[in-house]
Amino acid sequence: MAKICMTHGWHDDNKGDSAILMGTIDFLDQLIDAEQGRSDVSGAGVAKAEGHRIDILPIDDQVFATERGPFRHIRRRYRERVTVGQPLMPPMRDKLRFVTSLLGLGAKMMFGKQGKSGNDIIDAADLVVVKGGHIFHNGSFKKTLSSWLALIGYLAPVMLARKAGKRVLLLGHSFGPFKTPAQERFFLRTLSDCLVVSREEITHAMTQKADPKLPHALLGTDMAFAMAPRGSDEHAAVKTPNGVASPYAVITLRDWWGLDQQAFAERVEVLSRSLLESRERLGIERLLVVPHVLGPTDIENDQRISQLVFDHLQKALAAAQGGEDLATRIELVQGDPSPDALVDLYRDAQFLVGTRFHSVIFALMSGTPVYALSYCGPKAPGIMRDFGLGDSVQDIENFDPARIVADIEQLVADKAFPALAEKVIAEKLAITADITRDFLRRAPGRAGVWGQRELKLNDAAFPAPVATATTAAPVNSAPADAGAADTMAADAPAGDNSATAAHDSEPVVRGA
C-alpha cells in the first residue's frame, strides 16, 4: 500500500474540487497496484478501506473552520484510509503566522530542519500529488511583494517535496495569470523535476515556453473525469416526484465578481421561459435550478444567487399571462449532495446548462448534452472544444438565450453524442495514465532519490478505446496505430503531445 500525500486540498462545499480529489484518488488506485492486489475502486475493495493510504494537506486552515466540515464526502467515500493534516502555510491574512511559517520553510530548504506535521507527511510519502484545478495564480494582487509571498506560499509543498527528493505530480492543472514575467519563470523553474499535466491548451502552451523547457510537461485532462461514480439515491425524490418519473433539465448558476445580478436574473428568466416553452421538442417537463457549490466562501456559495434567480423567475412568470403553469415547472434543489449524487442527478437529465465548470464536466461524464456559460479564463471554452462543442459556450455576462435554446435542440437530437463523449474521456485518461506511468518509471532527476520504494504500476489501467466504424472521431483525437503516431510526430509542431517521440528528455505516451 503506497503512501500518497495530496497537497492543496479544498473544501467539500466546492463539489468540483471535491470531485478532483476523488478522481485523482480513483486514478492512482487503478494506476498503482496495492500490495494486497488491485483495489476495486467501484466496489467492495474501497468499502473495506483497501487501496492506498492518502494524506491530504489543505491549502487554507481558516476557510475550513466552517459549519460543514471539510472533506466530509471524501472521508465517507474512502473511510479510514484518508487522513487530513495541517496546511504547510497559513493564509496571508494571518500575517504573523504566515511570516513564521515562511521562515520555517526557508530553514527547511536551507538546512533540512523539520517543521510542522505537514513536513513529516511529505517526508514519509512515496508520492506527492498536487491537487489539480486553478490553484497557481497571483495576477489579481495589487502589490508585487504580496504576489511574491502568495506564490511562495502556494509552492511551499512542491519546494519541500523536491527538497526531500520525492516524486511530484501535478495532474490536471490550469496556471496563471502571474503578476510579473519573473514570477512566471520562477514558478515554472520550481516545477522542473515534476510531472506537469495541464488540463487545457493555454496552460500547456505556457509550460512549453518555459526556459529551460519543462521535460515532463504534457497536455492531459481534468482529473474529475477519472472519478468512478457510485450509485446514489440522494435525489430519488427529485427525479421521481410522487413516485412518477418526470423528465427534467438542469441549470447551474453562480455569482461572479462584478456580475450584474439583476441583469443576469433577467437573462436567465428569458432562457428558462424559452426552454419550457420548447419542452415538447426538448423532451422535458421541468427545469431544476441546482446550487452546485455551497461555499466555503461567500462568492463561491451558489445558494444565494440560485435563490435570487429562482425568486425572480417565480414572480416574473406568475405575473405574466400564461406563465402560471411555467412557474410550477421550475424547482430549486436543496441539500448538501455529494459529487456522486450530482453526477447521478445530471446523468438522468435531458440536458444541462452549466455555469459551474464542473457541473459541465459531470454532464460530459454522463453523456448528457450540455451548454456552458463561461466565467473564468480558458477552462470552459477549452474543455468544450475537446468534445467538439466549441460553439456551445457563451460568456456569463452577455449570453444570448435564443442561441442557447437553438443549440440545445440540436444537441438533444444528436443521439451519437453520449458515445462520443465516452470515447473522448477514455482517450484523454489513457494518455494521462501513460504520461504518469512513464514518469514514475524514470530515473531520479537532480533532486535526488525519489522515495525509498518502487511503485508497482498497472499497465492495464485506462486502456485507450478501440475505434469503431460507428463511433465518430473526437476533436484532436490520437492516431490509432504506431505508424500513424510516427507520421504525426514528424509533422506536429513543437509542444504538441498528440504523439511523443521516444527520447530520454521526453515522456513516452503509449496511449496515443
Side-chain angles (χ1 to χ4, degrees):
M1 180 185 296
K3 291 183 178 180
I4 299 173
C5 173
M6 295 187 64
T7 69
H8 297 79
W10 191 241
H11 204 288
D12 271 2
D13 276 355
N14 190 308
K15 309 303 179 180
D17 281 290
S18 184
I20 289 174
L21 273 174
M22 291 179 177
T24 306
I25 293 173
D26 289 350
F27 177 80
L28 295 172
D29 273 343
Q30 292 206 50
L31 197 70
I32 305 172
D33 284 343
E35 290 178 356
Q36 67 269 42
R38 288 288 315 287
S39 58
D40 179 6
V41 300
S42 60
V46 166
K48 295 178 180 177
E50 295 177 356
H52 303 294
R53 180 75 181 181
I54 307 293
D55 293 303
I56 299 175
L57 296 183
I59 195 173
D60 187 333
D61 53 359
Q62 292 188 9
V63 169
F64 292 88
T66 59
E67 181 179 348
R68 289 181 295 268
F71 308 116
R72 56 195 180 278
H73 295 301
I74 291 172
R75 289 178 186 272
R76 191 177 304 127
R77 199 178 202 257
Y78 301 103
R79 303 197 179 182
E80 61 266 24
R81 71 185 180 100
V82 170
T83 60
V84 179
Q86 291 295 317
L88 292 178
M89 298 292 293
M92 284 183 59
R93 58 182 174 271
D94 192 339
K95 294 181 175 60
L96 179 60
R97 289 178 59 221
F98 185 85
V99 171
T100 302
S101 296
L102 198 62
L103 294 174
L105 174 65
K108 174 74 174 178
M109 295 299 297
M110 293 179 65
F111 309 112
K113 300 293 185 183
Q114 292 290 342
K116 59 173 63 175
S117 60
N119 294 342
D120 298 333
I121 291 174
I122 288 178
D123 288 339
D126 297 309
L127 185 66
V128 176
V129 182
V130 180
K131 183 198 75 68
H134 195 196
I135 299 168
F136 297 108
H137 58 89
N138 65 354
S140 61
F141 282 82
K142 295 181 179 179
K143 297 181 179 179
T144 302
L145 176 59
S146 298
S147 65
W148 270 110
L149 294 176
L151 181 60
I152 293 172
Y154 292 148
L155 283 172
V158 178
M159 297 164 71
L160 289 172
R162 287 188 59 199
K163 177 70 174 179
K166 302 298 179 181
R167 303 176 178 94
V168 181
L169 311 181
L170 288 89
L171 300 176
H173 280 260
S174 294
F175 300 149
F178 295 98
K179 181 71 173 178
T180 67
Q183 292 174 354
E184 181 178 315
R185 289 194 297 271
F186 170 77
F187 169 73
L188 293 173
R189 284 175 181 267
T190 305
L191 306 183
S192 60
D193 291 329
C194 308
L195 173 64
V196 182
V197 178
S198 305
R199 65 179 178 177
E200 34 75 20
E201 295 173 356
I202 292 179
T203 294
H204 177 58
M206 180 190 299
T207 66
Q208 297 307 292
K209 294 177 182 177
D211 182 23
K213 182 179 176 181
L214 299 183
H216 308 292
L218 287 144
L219 179 62
T221 190
D222 189 284
M223 293 311 296
F225 282 120
M227 187 180 83
R230 303 181 185 181
S232 170
D233 58 0
E234 292 182 50
H235 286 122
V238 174
K239 293 193 292 185
T240 57
N242 303 317
V244 179
S246 178
Y248 59 88
V250 170
I251 183 169
T252 65
L253 310 171
R254 75 150 298 164
D255 200 357
W256 189 243
W257 286 272
L259 179 68
D260 185 333
Q261 294 185 349
Q262 182 62 34
F264 180 62
E266 290 173 357
R267 283 194 296 272
V268 174
E269 175 196 340
V270 175
L271 172 61
S272 302
R273 178 191 293 273
S274 300
L275 291 173
L276 290 173
E277 288 176 346
S278 305
R279 60 185 180 274
E280 291 186 5
R281 294 196 303 275
L282 297 174
I284 63 171
E285 295 181 14
R286 299 176 294 145
L287 183 63
L288 307 183
V289 179
V290 179
H292 184 87
V293 171
L294 309 182
T297 61
D298 286 340
I299 196 67
E300 284 193 82
N301 192 340
D302 298 343
Q303 292 173 313
R304 182 174 54 187
I305 187 70
S306 297
Q307 186 71 57
L308 183 151
V309 172
F310 177 75
D311 291 342
H312 175 87
L313 290 172
Q314 294 293 295
K315 182 178 180 180
L317 291 174
Q321 184 176 2
E324 299 87 347
D325 176 59
L326 299 183
T328 64
R329 295 178 181 274
I330 299 177
E331 303 168 35
L332 179 63
V333 177
Q334 306 284 358
D336 173 30
S338 65
D340 288 307
L342 288 173
V343 172
D344 177 71
L345 181 67
Y346 302 162
R347 181 193 302 115
D348 290 342
Q350 300 303 304
F351 61 86
L352 179 142
V353 179
T355 306
R356 276 296 181 181
F357 176 59
H358 279 87
S359 72
V360 173
I361 285 184
F362 289 3
L364 292 170
M365 289 167 58
S366 305
T368 299
V370 62
Y371 199 101
L373 300 180
S374 177
Y375 60 88
C376 181
K379 54 187 182 181
I383 198 70
M384 293 292 279
R385 189 164 55 245
D386 288 342
F387 287 81
L389 300 174
D391 293 332
S392 300
V393 184
Q394 292 191 61
D395 186 79
I396 185 176
E397 296 194 63
N398 54 10
F399 64 87
D400 178 7
R403 178 182 153 196
I404 294 177
V405 175
D407 200 4
I408 285 177
E409 287 191 23
Q410 296 182 19
L411 291 173
V412 170
D414 183 5
K415 302 305 180 184
F417 176 74
L420 171 61
E422 182 179 0
K423 186 172 186 289
V424 173
I425 293 171
E427 287 179 340
K428 283 184 165 292
L429 289 177
I431 291 173
T432 304
D434 278 336
I435 293 168
T436 307
R437 271 191 294 257
D438 183 76
F439 178 79
L440 294 177
R441 286 189 171 117
R442 287 181 168 264
R446 63 179 176 81
V449 179
W450 280 353
Q452 281 68 51
R453 59 192 233 141
E454 181 179 352
L455 299 175
K456 183 181 178 183
L457 305 179
N458 175 22
D459 286 314
F462 301 101
V466 178
T468 63
T470 58
T471 303
V475 177
N476 296 331
S477 60
D481 56 55
D486 292 340
T487 302
M488 197 171 197
D491 297 334
D496 185 353
N497 75 309
S498 54
T500 308
H503 190 274
D504 289 342
S505 64
E506 294 285 349
V508 178
V509 185
R510 288 175 297 279

